[in-house]
Structure formats: C-alpha cells, structure tokens
Amino acid sequence: MRAAPTILHLDMDAFYASVEQASKPSLQGKAVIVGGLGPRGVVATASYEARRFGVHSAMPMGQARRLCPNGAYLIPRFSLYRQVSDVVMAMLRELSPLVEPLSLDEAFVDLEAGGVAFDSRTARETGERLRADIRAATGLSGSVGLAGSKMLAKVASEEAKPAGLLLIEPGTERELLAPMSVRTLPGVGPATGEHLRRAGITTVGELAEAGEDELVRMVGRSAGAGLHRMALGLDDRPVVAERDAKSVSVEDTFDVDLHDRVRIRGEVQRLADRCVQRLRGSGHSGRTIVLKVRRYDFSTLTRSETLRGPTDDPAVVREAAARLLEGVDTTGGVRLLGVGVTGLADYTQEDLFAQSLAAEPDGAERVEGAEGAEGAAAEAGGAEAEAGGATGAREAAETPGEPEPSPERRWAAGSDVRHAVYGPGWVQGSGVGRVTVRFEQPGSEPGRVRTFRVDDPELEPSDPLPLVGETA
C-alpha cells in the first residue's frame, strides 16, 4: 500500500457503444446496443441511454430487444475499437512505463514510476489532464480512479462513472468502502454475494467486522483471507506492464444448430483461417492447436494437438483442426465451434511439411458445461471478458456466428459501406432484397437515409472511418 494515490485506473465509458455513437452522429444520445444480432447473440456493451431500460452486458439479445425495442442494435466493429484503444493506450504509456492493460478499454498505470505524480495534487492533475487529452483525441469519455492500490483505484473509477474522476486519499479506505455492497470487491460475483447475504453480510463494513477466521470458515482459506484483506482496503499488488498473450482463438455461435458434417468441416476450416489471421496480426506463431465444440445440449468438448514446433501456416492449422474434428461426435447438432492456438512464440517452424506429419495428438478431451441454465450462462458470459492475457476472448461477440448469409443478409446492421454517389455510410437494416443506409460520418451532421437493392453495384462494404481528431 502506498502513502500517495499514484496508481491510476482508467475505464472508458460504455466503450463499444460510445465509439458507435461518436462515429454515427444520428445515434448520439440514443440507446445503442452492441453485440451478436442473431437469436443466440448476447449484449457486448450497452450505452448509458440503453441501460436506463435495464439492458446490460452479457444479457441475451432477445431479452434486450424486449426491454428496449426502439434501440439501435449493431454488430461490433472490433477493428475500429482496437484503433481507438491503441490511441488511448499510447497516451497511458506517455505517462509511465508501467501500464497494465486489462482489456481494450481498461488499464492500470503506475504514475510514480513515470515520474508524473508523487502526491494527491499531482495525481489529480495528471488524471484530469489524461481525461481531457482522451476527449480531445477520440471524442470519448473515460472515468479515472486514483488510489494507493490497484483494487481501490478500480473501485474509485467505477464510482466515478460516467465521465468522472475519484481520488481515494490513503487512510480513508475503510471509511469509503464500509457502506458499499460486497459485490463492489473484485472477485465477488453473484454466487459469493448470495452466499454472504444468507450469512447476513451485505456490505464491505460487515465483511471486515466478520473477521478472517469467520470468512475462512464460510468460503475457504484462500478466498476468506483475500476477502478480509480487501474489506480492510489492503492490496499490495504491483502494476505489471504488458502481459504477453497466452493464446489466440476465434469462435462462432450459430443461430441454428449445425447437423451437416460437411458444413461443420467447412466452418472449422474457415475458423482456422481466421485464427491464423489473428495469430499473424499479433506477430506470433503457436505450437498447440485447439478445437472447441459446443453441442446441442450445451456440453462442450475441447480437444488439442501439439505440433513439433510453432507455426503460423494456415494449411497446418486447418489440417490439425480437421484431424481433431474427426474425433468428435456431432450427430446431435452443434451450436458453437471454435479454433485456437496456444503455446505462442515469436518465430515459426521452418519445416512446415515435416511438422504437419509429425504432430503429436494430445489425446485429451475436456467436457465442460451441462444441460440447462449453467451452460447457457457460460455461453452468454463470454461476451464481456477480454482479460489482458487472452487474445480474442471476445470473439464470440465480435462474430455472432450466423450461417453464411444469402445476398439478402450480407448487410449487417452497423456495418460500414460506401456508395459511389453518396459516399460513406452505415447499414441501418436489410431484408426483402433491400438495404437501408444512413449516409453520415464522424463529425458530420446526422445524415440522410436511402434504400437500395442488396445487389446494387454502386454499394460496397468499407473500412471504418477514424473518429474525429483520432489521428491528431
């Protein structure tokens, strides 16, 4: 624990939805929900306007539509989110060499290590300047927490939302935490919170008063001791810079269970190619190929095969994934497929042909999940998790996994397009052979809406435009 609040936690406000509002002027101030748009899609992020209707992350998209029928429902545009994230993270690295990203929109910063803050005054000034710089460069708002520990800095940024700054003076931690819900503390989820509630503990103050021995008796030695330390505001974890990625993976959830074996093999091949694209984009190769299959009853099979050396060759990954699929029974139907690569390295095996022939099957099969609500919750929960070490952890939200679209379905709501006459715009919706496009761009006035045939030769998919001032 530090004597000065020089650990900063930045959390961008409703990041995905805020990026969409900034890049689509007609959506500013409107309810925006980003996520998988298919029947099995989940909410990745909801704007604050949508949250007033009860919409929240990891909620099934069907439920969100019932709560907020007039909201704008959009697919995620991860390439744009990463561009904006890179701008924000670069600003943090200008403050300190010790920056610990937790996701695209969240990070810890050790201000003392960067020599930019040593006391409460300089820490607050740095935090306010950072918020202003982010707003100027991206048009987005972020919330900042400042404290003497990582846990308290994160609690402070959450309390500061939206678009605020909260500094917790060292020595005031217990007083501040005492009235807060136990769910405020990191790692206290619904199950632990309910367990504590049944024991009559609902606030952090009550948790501290219970004592370590009682908490150990209730939830076990490791968890109990950790809970008691957090309730007292104690956390001595350092800010750790740039954790290396441990894996790269992609997965798709399908609107309708797949039964056709040929179709399933084709989807696995497509996922393998996308996985390699991500692998190469991160500058890595990998040694272990992983196949994930979630079946009709929510049970999940995970199989892996380890190669003699790391590779980033799509043919090798496709072959390995196909071999793994041969050992999986899919006759009952498949609702989700995934391909991943672990054992990452920054070099590749030269003899790709030899490594392909000499693969070593791990022979391991792990069954996860079960029928019913537990499996459904696991499927929905992946939409919001992208911890610092796992590349592609949000891939389920990024690619909702709809079957290969017919021409009438290729224009997903929220995707970028460009018309030869009217210029850049985005898809508001499509169907019955028509696609509706709103023509506007970041920084413009709300644009006009026009409708075209889905096969209009003058209308083409486009890359996202940068946010206003992003490259400044």
Side-chain angles (χ1 to χ4, degrees), residues 113-446:
V116 294
F118 300 97
D119 55 22
S120 297
R121 180 185 64 81
T122 54
R124 183 181 295 277
E125 290 175 352
T126 301
E128 293 289 9
R129 186 169 62 251
L130 173 65
R131 291 180 56 244
D133 290 345
I134 290 173
R135 172 74 76 174
T138 69
L140 306 179
S141 67
S143 296
V144 168
L146 292 157
S149 71
K150 289 167 69 172
M151 183 199 79
L152 290 168
K154 186 172 175 63
V155 168
S157 68
E158 188 64 32
E159 291 296 305
K161 282 187 168 292
L165 181 149
L166 177 64
L167 185 149
I168 299 178
E169 291 283 0
T172 68
E173 298 92 347
R174 291 193 63 177
E175 180 183 357
L176 177 79
L177 290 172
M180 295 183 179
S181 165
V182 293
R183 292 289 305 278
T184 301
L185 300 179
V188 180
T192 302
E194 177 60 22
H195 186 60
L196 293 171
R197 187 195 66 78
R198 289 198 297 268
I201 299 174
T202 59
T203 67
V204 176
E206 292 167 346
L207 199 63
E209 292 174 2
E212 182 175 341
D213 291 342
E214 177 64 15
L215 294 176
V216 167
R217 186 188 66 79
M218 291 174 58
V219 298
R221 176 161 301 280
S222 178
L227 277 176
H228 189 247
R229 282 182 58 82
M230 287 193 294
L232 297 176
L234 302 177
D235 177 23
D236 56 4
R237 294 173 299 155
V239 176
V240 180
E242 298 294 356
R243 291 174 292 177
D244 290 334
K246 297 178 180 178
S247 66
V248 174
S249 63
V250 297
E251 60 185 43
D252 277 352
T253 301
F254 303 98
D255 290 349
V256 179
D257 290 349
L258 304 184
H259 294 84
D260 183 349
R261 188 73 176 184
V262 174
R263 169 74 187 283
I264 293 171
R265 281 197 295 267
E267 292 294 336
V268 169
Q269 299 294 289
R270 183 176 61 83
L271 288 166
D273 287 343
R274 279 176 39 209
C275 184
V276 170
Q277 289 177 0
R278 276 180 162 267
L279 189 68
R280 289 178 169 178
S282 66
H284 289 96
S285 59
R287 190 164 182 258
T288 300
I289 314 304
V290 181
L291 175 70
K292 178 179 178 181
V293 180
R294 179 164 295 151
R295 299 187 289 195
Y296 68 97
D297 60 356
F298 287 98
S299 64
T300 302
L301 304 180
T302 304
R303 289 191 169 182
S304 62
E305 177 177 289
T306 299
L307 309 174
R308 282 192 172 180
T311 183
D312 63 356
D313 186 282
V316 174
V317 177
R318 283 197 301 266
E319 290 171 9
R323 285 193 297 270
L324 294 170
L325 179 63
E326 291 305 314
V328 177
D329 179 10
T330 60
T331 54
V334 171
R335 63 186 291 118
L336 176 147
L337 290 168
V339 174
V341 178
T342 65
L344 301 188
D346 57 2
Y347 65 96
T348 59
Q349 166 70 282
E350 293 297 329
D351 190 354
L352 298 176
F353 179 73
Q355 104 174 352
S356 178
L357 293 178
E360 305 165 1
D362 293 350
E365 176 176 312
R366 183 171 74 252
V367 180
E368 304 169 350
E371 293 188 13
E374 184 175 350
E379 184 163 305
E384 192 68 353
E386 184 169 346
T391 303
R394 280 184 173 160
E395 188 68 18
E398 177 176 346
T399 51
E402 298 180 359
E404 283 298 320
S406 64
E408 292 192 7
R409 298 186 61 196
R410 63 189 172 104
W411 302 107
S415 57
D416 296 278
V417 296
R418 178 175 289 275
H419 192 273
V421 176
Y422 302 109
W426 58 278
V427 175
Q428 282 199 327
S430 64
V432 199
R434 300 286 177 178
V435 55
T436 300
V437 177
R438 184 179 289 273
F439 290 97
E440 59 186 4
Q441 54 189 301
S444 73
E445 294 294 321

Side-chain angles (χ1 to χ4, degrees), residues 3-220:
T6 54
I7 292 181
L8 179 148
H9 181 258
L10 171 71
D11 195 355
M12 300 296 290
D13 299 321
F15 184 53
Y16 294 178
S18 294
V19 171
E20 297 298 338
Q21 289 176 320
S23 63
K24 299 175 171 69
S26 61
L27 296 183
Q28 293 178 12
K30 305 289 181 61
V32 174
I33 300 93
V34 179
L37 303 186
R40 291 174 176 170
V42 295
V43 176
T45 305
S47 69
Y48 286 98
E49 294 85 357
R51 295 180 191 187
R52 298 192 189 107
F53 293 88
V55 180
H56 58 77
S57 300
M59 172 181 285
M61 192 62 79
Q63 182 180 356
R65 290 183 185 274
R66 289 190 293 273
L67 292 172
C68 186
N70 296 321
Y73 290 83
L74 310 173
I75 61 167
R77 297 186 296 163
F78 276 82
S79 61
L80 179 58
Y81 306 154
R82 290 190 185 96
Q83 291 172 21
V84 179
S85 176
D86 288 346
V87 173
V88 173
M89 295 300 167
M91 292 181 180
L92 299 184
R93 294 185 188 98
E94 290 178 359
L95 297 177
S96 172
L98 293 182
V99 176
E100 183 177 342
L102 303 180
S103 64
L104 291 177
D105 60 340
E106 186 180 1
F108 288 110
V109 185
D110 187 332
L111 300 179
E112 189 173 326
V116 294
F118 300 97
D119 55 22
S120 297
R121 180 185 64 81
T122 54
R124 183 181 295 277
E125 290 175 352
T126 301
E128 293 289 9
R129 186 169 62 251
L130 173 65
R131 291 180 56 244
D133 290 345
I134 290 173
R135 172 74 76 174
T138 69
L140 306 179
S141 67
S143 296
V144 168
L146 292 157
S149 71
K150 289 167 69 172
M151 183 199 79
L152 290 168
K154 186 172 175 63
V155 168
S157 68
E158 188 64 32
E159 291 296 305
K161 282 187 168 292
L165 181 149
L166 177 64
L167 185 149
I168 299 178
E169 291 283 0
T172 68
E173 298 92 347
R174 291 193 63 177
E175 180 183 357
L176 177 79
L177 290 172
M180 295 183 179
S181 165
V182 293
R183 292 289 305 278
T184 301
L185 300 179
V188 180
T192 302
E194 177 60 22
H195 186 60
L196 293 171
R197 187 195 66 78
R198 289 198 297 268
I201 299 174
T202 59
T203 67
V204 176
E206 292 167 346
L207 199 63
E209 292 174 2
E212 182 175 341
D213 291 342
E214 177 64 15
L215 294 176
V216 167
R217 186 188 66 79
M218 291 174 58
V219 298

